[in-house]
């Protein structure tokens, strides 16, 4: 056994018995770790540390030093045991290590809850670090269980002691629990909770009052973002400079002091925005937000699993609080000049991409101070979005894997008549509403429908999961879509030029929601609510997200119509087909045909988008009646015949490719007209364009045309082999040789 140096040990004890010490905190941390590890029975020293006034009032640095001291002590103890002389009769290291930990835990008895919590947490982290050497649970599982139990008990005591609001301000002022400038005790504890609780087994975590814990965690997250009011001074801080640049700092000038002082003085007006952002970014909570959100996301499923009714109410409370924060942020943003920023150069391309670097190339930001403020704003907004996404993802995963039937059974238990039981669809609606409030931030990532690298998977997973949950409830989906057309964005009271970017971001988000819910909507909702949402954006390609989303909604309407094609009366009755919907689709076919043809110019719909849209339109129109399919084809051919000038050659070739895409969408009765037009288009083209058209025809017949129509197309191909002579670059290496014989051979290979 190692003999403890009495002099050094005595010095440490003398310092621990004093409320202050001349030794730095790091020295105390090292000494505590060393002497805890050197004694086989550290109960007495642990009790001394736990009760030491040196660590009161609480401070983050003091508590972190204690946690690190006990964590390092576990490492040092193992090393000391490994360095001891071994004999045939000496007990194993794992057994002696477990005995040392038990002695350590005995010293926690009667100690202050916060000190016990961090000391037990440090011990747990040490055991976690040495898990591979000592096994998952040294001492047959009893040692780690004791540490985790001590952690859970201490955390419960802390929530009981410090969770209730303090009524006695006088006592708090003259008997402070934390050092001046520090967080309150509960917030300090929750910072360490986010670090420690992930290492506690889930079954023990369930013992905690998880609803109360989640409420406290949400309060800390709200406080981190000042309940969404950190941009409250942004509208008054945005001002133009004489050179026409945008300044984000409030002009500072002399301020006359208030009564009873008189005469001018050196006082100046404080800049509120820099102070507010500094309070958010400089807070120790801000860097810990990911951990706080992560542990909150972990306990929500555990709560719902152990108590479904309480869990559902807690899930609703969490989303409601997130939505409130997001709403406050959007309202303040909408009232500022930044809401009207159109070009990314106005605030710097790198700022728009959320890169925390200086943007010296931003001509419209007046000063480096303004650029730094803009960077901090986007940093906080990005962090808020990520925090929201993390929590919403946990909530949606929880309700997706929970049974509504089980929740209904629980709801049958006696409860007050005023009690409210959230449903899965109501939680999904709250989720979508929260994301909608942050749509101006989401748009900087490419939106929820982005297929490029600008978006991120977690956002899309939350968005589509919420829509999947909502789509189970057709009535709730109807109400949601109807509310979108009447819901005024937070920027509606602003000037159009300031509100436009924010409004477009909200509109793009709304259109993306409507697109997914179209199959559930009634005719009236589609005609009077969904369709009007799209109309203003169908020809405005200057804003791609809303432009493409609007066309996607229209195509979703046609796709839903095609799926409901009533092949028989029985099928219509089984599927509940709305026959009136077919009348509405037929009514908008002429409008949308003309819309697509007008959007076939450069800078509008791309060729793949145009092919997909016109093919879906033709297919849906043909499902109603062949005459509607013929109308689509005739309109396209009329447009092609009108494009005869050299300037329109590119548009004409694009529409010829679109013409090929209609082959698989038209019924057999109209197919001959389309094939004749395709043959004419190929004959009138030449060079690379002719080879491309021929190849696309081959691909369309081989891959997309139905079995019934393919036989006719193959015969047509044989007949056109001489007309298509010379087009040898075919799909899959096929070529059209000279003469009908060669043509028959290629047709047979199809």
């Amino acid at each position: 056994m190692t003999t403890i140096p009495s002099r050094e040990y005595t010095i440490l004890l003398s310092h621990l018995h004093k409320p202050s010490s001349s030794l730095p905190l790091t020295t105390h941390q090292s000494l505590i770790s060393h002497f805890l590890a050197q004694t086989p029975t550290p109960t007495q020293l642990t009790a001394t540390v736990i009760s030491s006034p040196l660590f009161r009032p609480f401070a983050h640095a003091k508590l972190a030093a204690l946690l690190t001291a006990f964590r390092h002590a576990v490492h040092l103890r193992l090393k000391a045991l490994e360095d001891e002389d071994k004999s045939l009769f000496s007990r194993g290291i794992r057994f002696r290590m477990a005995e040392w930990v038990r002695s350590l835990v005995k010293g926690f008895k009667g100690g202050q809850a916060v000190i016990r919590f961090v000391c037990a947490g440090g011990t747990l982290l040490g055991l976690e670090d040495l898990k591979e050497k000592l096994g998952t649970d040294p001492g047959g599982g009893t040692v780690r269980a004791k540490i985790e139990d001590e952690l859970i008990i201490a955390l419960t005591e802390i929530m009981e002691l410090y969770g209730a609001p303090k009524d006695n301000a006088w006592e708090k002022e003259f008997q402070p629990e934390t050092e001046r400038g520090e967080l309150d005790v509960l917030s300090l504890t929750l910072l360490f909770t986010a670090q420690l609780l992930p290492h506690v087994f889930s079954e023990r975590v369930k013992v905690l009052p998880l609803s109360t814990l989640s409420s406290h965690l949400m309060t800390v997250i709200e406080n981190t973002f000042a309940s969404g009011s950190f941009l409250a001074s942004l509208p008054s801080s945005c001002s133009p400079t004489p050179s026409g640049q945008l300044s984000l700092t409030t002009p500072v000038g002399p301020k006359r002091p208030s009564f009873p002082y008189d005469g001018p003085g050196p006082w100046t007006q404080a800049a509120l925005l820099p102070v507010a952002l500094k309070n958010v970014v400089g807070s120790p909570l801000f860097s810990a937000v990911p951990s706080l959100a992560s542990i909150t996301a972990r306990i929500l499923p555990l709560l719902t699993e152990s108590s479904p009714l309480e869990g559902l109410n807690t899930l609703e409370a969490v989303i409601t609080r997130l939505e409130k924060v997001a709403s406050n942020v959007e309202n303040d943003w909408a009232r500022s000049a930044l809401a009207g920023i159109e070009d990314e150069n106005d605030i710097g391309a790198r700022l728009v991409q959320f890169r925390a670097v200086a943007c010296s190339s931003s001509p419209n930001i007046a000063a480096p101070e303004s650029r730094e403020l803009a960077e901090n704003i986007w940093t906080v907004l990005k962090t808020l979005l990520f925090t929201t996404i993390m929590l919403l993802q946990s909530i949606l995963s929880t309700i997706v894997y929970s049974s509504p039937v089980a929740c209904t059974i629980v709801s049958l238990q006696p409860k007050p008549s005023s009690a409210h039981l959230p449903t899965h669809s109501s939680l999904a609606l709250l989720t979508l509403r929260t994301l909608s409030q942050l749509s101006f931030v989401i748009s900087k990532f490419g939106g929820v429908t982005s297929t490029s690298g600008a978006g991120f998977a977690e956002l899309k997973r939350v968005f589509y999961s919420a829509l999947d949950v909502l789509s189970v409830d057709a009535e709730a989906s109807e109400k949601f879509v109807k509310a979108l057309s009447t819901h005024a964005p937070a920027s509606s009271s602003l000037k159009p030029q300031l509100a436009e970017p924010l409004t477009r971001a909200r509109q793009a988000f709304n259109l993306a929601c409507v697109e997914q819910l179209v199959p559930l909507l009634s005719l009236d909702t589609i005609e009077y609510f969904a369709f009007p949402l799209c109309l203003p954006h169908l020809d405005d390609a200057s804003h791609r997200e809303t432009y493409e989303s609007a066309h996607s909604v229209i195509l979703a309407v046609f796709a839903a119509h095609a799926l409901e094609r009533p092949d028989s009366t029985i099928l219509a009755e089984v599927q509940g087909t709305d026959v009136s919907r077919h009348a509405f689709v037929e009514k908008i076919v002429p409008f949308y045909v003309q819309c697509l043809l007008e959007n076939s110019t450069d800078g509008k719909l791309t060729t793949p988008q145009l092919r997909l849209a016109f093919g879906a339109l033709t297919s849906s129109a043909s499902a109603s009646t062949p005459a509607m399919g013929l109308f689509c084809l005739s309109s396209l051919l009329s447009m092609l015949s009108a494009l005869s000038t050299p300037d329109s050659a590119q548009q004409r070739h694009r529409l010829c490719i679109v013409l090929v895409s209609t082959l698989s969408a038209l019924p057999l009765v109209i197919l001959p007209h389309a094939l004749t037009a395709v043959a004419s288009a190929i004959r009138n083209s030449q060079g690379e364009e002719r080879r491309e058209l021929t190849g696309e025809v081959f691909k369309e017949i081989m891959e997309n045309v139905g079995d019934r129509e393919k036989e006719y197309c193959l015969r047509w191909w044989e007949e056109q082999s001489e007309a298509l002579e010379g087009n040898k670059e075919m799909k899959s290496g096929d070529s059209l040789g000279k003469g009908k014989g060669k043509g028959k051979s290629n047709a047979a290979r199809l």
Side-chain angles (χ1 to χ4, degrees):
M1 180 186 302
T2 304
T3 304
I4 298 178
S6 57
R7 183 173 179 275
E8 290 81 357
Y9 184 66
T10 303
I11 292 175
L12 173 62
L13 291 179
S14 65
H15 280 277
L16 290 177
H17 285 92
K18 298 177 182 178
S20 62
S21 173
S22 58
L23 297 177
L25 195 58
T26 54
T27 301
H28 284 287
Q29 173 187 313
S30 301
L31 290 174
I32 291 173
S33 298
H34 173 75
F35 288 117
L36 282 175
Q38 291 301 314
T39 175
T41 54
T43 303
Q44 183 178 357
L45 179 55
T46 301
T48 303
V49 173
I50 292 291
S51 59
S52 172
L54 184 63
F55 303 102
R56 304 287 297 272
F58 303 122
H60 185 271
K62 294 178 182 179
L63 298 178
L66 274 176
L67 183 142
T68 305
F70 277 76
R71 184 176 190 175
H72 287 176
V74 177
H75 288 259
L76 294 175
R77 182 57 185 170
L78 178 62
K79 187 177 184 304
L81 292 175
E82 291 174 341
D83 293 341
E84 286 183 1
D85 295 333
K86 299 181 179 63
S87 66
L88 182 62
F89 300 102
S90 61
R91 292 174 296 179
I93 291 179
R94 184 176 179 183
F95 181 85
R96 286 183 287 170
M97 190 70 184
E99 192 176 55
W100 177 82
V101 174
R102 290 192 191 95
S103 178
L104 190 74
V105 174
K106 289 180 182 179
F108 293 161
K109 186 176 182 180
Q112 207 281 336
V114 177
I115 303 295
R116 283 164 39 217
F117 181 75
V118 294
C119 292
T123 308
L124 178 63
L125 292 180
L127 294 176
E128 184 72 18
D129 296 338
L130 303 176
K131 185 165 56 177
E132 294 184 0
K133 290 185 177 181
L134 297 174
T136 304
D137 299 320
T142 58
V143 171
R144 181 168 184 136
K146 285 182 177 296
I147 295 295
E148 293 183 359
D149 289 342
E150 189 64 39
L151 201 72
I152 295 298
I153 293 171
L155 180 57
T156 304
E157 291 182 16
I158 293 170
M159 287 192 289
E160 291 177 354
L161 287 171
Y162 304 102
K166 296 295 181 182
D167 297 329
N168 196 334
W170 185 91
E171 180 181 357
K172 183 177 180 180
E173 180 68 24
F174 290 92
Q175 294 182 351
E177 298 163 342
T178 59
E179 291 186 353
R180 183 175 297 275
E182 288 280 342
L183 300 169
D184 60 277
V185 178
L186 185 59
S187 297
L188 276 176
T189 304
L190 292 178
L191 287 181
F192 292 100
T193 301
Q195 180 183 0
L196 300 175
L197 211 57
H199 302 291
V200 179
F201 292 158
S202 297
E203 292 304 316
R204 290 194 178 89
V205 174
K206 290 181 181 180
V207 177
L208 287 166
L210 295 181
S211 180
T212 303
L213 178 57
S214 66
S215 178
H216 291 322
L217 287 168
M218 283 303 303
T219 299
V220 173
I221 292 175
E222 286 176 331
N223 292 339
T224 303
F225 297 103
S227 297
S229 64
F230 60 91
L231 294 181
S233 57
L234 179 61
S236 60
S237 299
C238 296
S239 59
T241 64
S243 61
Q245 296 174 317
L246 177 64
S247 173
L248 299 183
T249 55
T250 304
V252 178
K255 178 185 178 183
R256 183 179 179 85
S258 59
F259 183 84
Y261 305 102
D262 51 13
W267 299 276
T268 58
Q269 179 70 43
L272 298 179
L273 180 62
V275 173
L277 290 175
K278 183 179 180 181
N279 290 339
V280 173
V281 179
S283 169
L285 295 175
F286 187 73
S287 58
V289 159
S291 300
L292 293 168
S294 178
I295 193 60
T296 307
R298 184 195 174 196
I299 66 176
L300 291 177
L302 296 178
L303 172 60
T304 307
E305 179 183 345
S306 58
S307 178
L309 177 59
E310 185 180 20
L312 280 176
N313 288 324
T314 302
L315 296 182
E316 183 184 49
V318 169
I319 305 181
T320 301
R321 297 173 76 167
L322 289 174
E323 194 270 339
K324 180 61 176 177
V325 172
S327 177
N328 291 338
V329 171
E330 187 196 35
N331 289 334
D332 292 333
W333 177 267
R335 294 185 295 108
S336 72
L338 282 181
I341 292 295
E342 187 71 39
D343 188 356
E344 64 180 17
N345 290 325
D346 291 344
I347 56 176
R350 296 181 182 180
L351 289 180
V352 174
Q353 298 299 328
F354 296 96
R355 297 177 183 176
V357 293
C359 295
S360 58
S361 61
S362 303
N364 293 333
I365 291 294
E369 293 81 5
S370 295
R371 291 197 296 271
E372 183 179 355
L373 285 176
E375 292 173 13
N376 288 338
I377 289 172
W378 285 116
T379 298
V380 177
L381 289 175
K382 176 185 67 174
T383 306
L384 174 61
L385 176 62
F386 289 170
T387 302
T388 303
I389 292 298
M390 186 182 300
L391 293 172
L392 293 179
Q393 185 173 350
S394 172
I395 292 171
L396 290 172
S397 299
T398 300
I399 62 178
V400 164
Y401 292 105
S402 63
S403 173
V405 177
C407 299
T408 303
I409 294 175
V410 174
S411 67
L412 295 178
Q413 297 175 356
K415 58 182 183 294
S417 58
S418 59
H420 166 68
L421 180 64
T423 62
H424 289 188
S425 58
S426 68
L427 296 177
L429 282 172
L430 278 173
T431 298
L432 293 173
R433 191 178 305 158
T434 303
L435 293 178
S436 178
Q437 303 282 3
L438 295 175
S439 56
F440 74 99
V441 185
I442 294 173
S443 64
K444 304 305 179 183
F445 291 93
V448 292
T449 59
S450 172
T451 56
S452 63
F456 60 101
E458 290 78 8
L459 170 61
K460 296 178 183 178
R461 186 178 301 117
V462 169
F463 174 71
Y464 288 108
S465 296
L467 287 171
D468 286 342
V469 173
L470 179 60
S471 64
V472 177
D473 189 341
E475 182 180 356
S477 302
E478 290 267 351
K479 291 181 180 179
F480 174 66
V481 174
K482 290 179 180 179
L484 292 181
S485 62
T486 57
H487 177 65
S491 56
S492 59
S493 60
L494 299 180
K495 296 179 180 179
Q497 61 268 28
L498 294 182
E500 188 178 356
L502 183 60
T503 303
R504 282 199 311 272
R506 175 73 72 85
Q507 289 169 341
F509 182 87
N510 292 344
L511 289 170
C513 294
V514 174
E515 177 189 352
Q516 303 300 319
L517 298 175
V518 161
L520 302 171
L521 304 180
S522 65
L523 169 67
D524 288 341
T525 304
I526 292 177
E527 184 171 3
Y528 299 111
F529 295 93
F531 190 67
L533 283 175
C534 306
L535 286 178
H537 312 289
L538 292 174
D539 293 314
D540 187 7
S542 59
H543 309 292
R544 296 300 300 188
E545 188 178 1
T546 51
Y547 175 66
E548 294 177 0
S549 295
H551 280 278
S552 296
V553 172
I554 301 298
L555 293 178
V557 173
F558 285 113
H561 163 68
L563 289 176
E564 290 186 350
R565 180 177 179 177
D567 294 330
S568 67
T569 305
I570 297 179
L571 181 60
E573 292 178 355
V574 172
Q575 294 182 341
T577 303
D578 187 359
V579 179
S580 59
R581 179 175 298 188
H582 302 289
F584 170 71
V585 170
E586 293 175 5
K587 183 168 61 176
I588 65 173
V589 164
F591 159 77
Y592 197 57
V593 167
Q594 186 62 30
C595 178
L596 289 180
L597 294 177
E598 292 175 354
N599 281 272
S600 62
T601 57
D602 291 339
K604 297 279 189 173
L605 292 174
T606 64
T607 301
Q609 289 174 336
L610 194 60
R611 294 182 65 179
L612 177 64
F614 206 89
L617 168 64
T618 306
S619 176
S620 179
S622 301
S624 297
T625 172
M628 296 303 297
L630 181 60
F631 173 81
C632 296
L633 177 62
S634 301
S635 300
L636 177 58
L637 296 179
S638 298
M639 186 70 174
L640 282 171
S641 63
L643 298 174
S644 56
T645 62
D647 295 338
S648 59
Q650 187 174 1
Q651 183 182 2
R652 176 180 174 82
H653 178 66
R654 181 182 294 116
L655 290 178
C656 287
I657 297 294
V658 172
L659 175 62
V660 173
S661 299
T662 63
L663 296 179
S664 58
L666 291 169
L668 185 58
V669 66
I670 307 176
L671 196 56
H673 301 281
L675 291 173
T676 301
V678 168
S680 176
I682 294 176
R683 284 194 298 268
N684 294 333
S685 61
Q686 53 186 330
E688 184 62 32
E689 291 185 356
R690 186 173 186 180
R691 285 190 291 272
E692 182 182 1
L693 278 176
T694 309
E696 290 298 332
V697 172
F698 185 93
K699 180 179 180 181
E700 189 73 12
I701 295 174
M702 183 177 66
E703 297 181 0
N704 300 328
V705 172
D707 293 336
R708 186 172 57 177
E709 292 83 4
K710 182 173 293 187
E711 180 181 357
Y712 183 87
C713 291
L714 292 179
R715 290 198 302 268
W716 171 85
W717 184 272
E718 295 176 14
E719 295 171 358
Q720 295 297 321
S721 59
E722 291 183 356
L724 303 178
E725 180 181 354
N727 295 280
K728 297 183 179 181
E729 296 184 10
M730 304 299 296
K731 195 73 174 177
S732 304
D734 289 322
S735 62
L736 289 174
K738 296 181 179 181
K740 270 195 172 183
K742 192 69 174 268
K744 290 181 180 179
S745 174
N746 284 296
R749 292 178 63 183
L750 281 174

